[in-house]
C-alpha cells in the first residue's frame, strides 16, 4: 500500500528597506521566529546583523544600494530553495526595478527561479509572469512586510503592516 506523503509547508517572512528602523524590525521578531525562514532584501542589512543573534530561523540577507558601508560579508544576490522552487533574492537596484521587472525576469528565466524577492521601490508587489512569482514586501520603514506561505510548488503572499 502506498502512503501519500505530505509536502512541507513553508512560512517565509520577507522584509526590505528597513533603513535603520530597528524598532519595527525588533517588534517583528516574534513573527520572524515563528516562520521557517527570514528573507531580507537589502537597505538595512546592518539592522538584521544587529538582531541576528535573536533571530532563530535561517536568514537570507542581501545588500541594498544604501548598505555600501556595511562591513559584513554580504553579497548583492542570494539564492534559497523552498521545496521545488528556487528563489532569487536581490535588492533590485542593479536590476532596474524602478523601471519594471524585465531584467529580473530575464535573470529568473535564465536560471530557472520560480520565486524572486526584491525591494528598492518601497512598493508592495505580488505578481506572477511566465511562471515566476515576483514579491516585494514594500518598505519596513513605512511599516510594510510580507508573509509568504506555500508547499514548494505554489505560494501565496500576504501584505502586512506594523506601526
Amino acid at each position: 500500500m502506498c502512503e501519500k506523503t505530505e509536502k512541507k509547508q513553508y512560512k517565509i517572512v520577507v522584509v526590505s528597506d528597513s533603513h535603520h528602523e530597528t524598532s519595527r524590525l525588533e517588534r517583528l521578531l516574534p513573527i520572524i521566529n515563528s516562520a521557517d525562514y527570514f528573507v531580507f532584501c537589502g537597505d538595512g542589512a546592518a539592522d538584521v546583523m544587529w538582531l541576528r543573534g535573536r533571530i532563530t530561523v535561517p536568514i537570507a540577507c542581501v545588500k541594498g544600494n544604501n548598505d555600501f558601508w556595511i562591513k559584513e560579508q554580504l553579497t548583492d544576490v542570494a539564492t534559497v530553495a523552498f521545496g521545488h522552487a528556487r528563489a532569487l533574492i536581490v535588492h533590485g537596484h542593479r536590476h532596474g526595478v524602478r523601471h519594471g521587472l524585465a531584467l529580473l525576469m530575464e535573470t529568473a528565466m535564465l536560471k530557472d527561479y520560480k520565486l524572486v524577492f526584491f525591494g528598492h521601490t518601497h512598493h508592495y508587489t505580488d505578481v506572477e509572469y511566465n511562471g515566476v512569482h515576483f514579491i516585494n514586501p514594500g518598505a519596513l520603514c513605512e511599516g510594510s512586510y510580507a508573509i509568504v506561505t506555500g508547499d514548494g510548488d505554489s505560494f501565496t503572499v500576504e501584505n502586512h503592516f506594523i506601526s
Side-chain angles (χ1 to χ4, degrees), residues 11-16 28 31-32 35 37-39 41 117-118 124-126 135-140 143-149 156-162:
K11 178 181 174 186
I12 309 153
V13 175
V14 185
V15 172
S16 187
L28 268 182
I31 295 166
I32 291 168
Y37 223 94
F38 175 52
V39 171
C41 301
F117 299 109
F118 68 101
Y124 171 76
T125 304
D126 174 15
I135 300 161
N136 182 331
L140 186 64
S144 183
Y145 67 99
I147 295 179
V148 179
T149 55
T156 59
V157 185
E158 295 176 355
N159 188 210
H160 291 271
F161 291 89
I162 190 164

Side-chain angles (χ1 to χ4, degrees), residues 11-67:
K11 178 181 174 186
I12 309 153
V13 175
V14 185
V15 172
S16 187
D17 297 276
S18 59
H19 293 284
H20 310 295
E21 188 66 52
T22 54
S23 63
R24 280 194 176 121
L25 193 56
E26 195 165 18
R27 286 194 308 278
L28 268 182
L29 277 173
I31 295 166
I32 291 168
N33 289 334
S34 73
D36 297 302
Y37 223 94
F38 175 52
V39 171
F40 187 81
C41 301
D43 275 4
D47 306 339
V48 175
M49 297 301 106
W50 178 69
L51 287 173
R52 73 178 163 208
R54 295 171 56 197
I55 297 172
T56 61
V57 298
I59 303 168
C61 179
V62 296
K63 284 185 180 182
N65 58 301
N66 289 304
D67 293 323

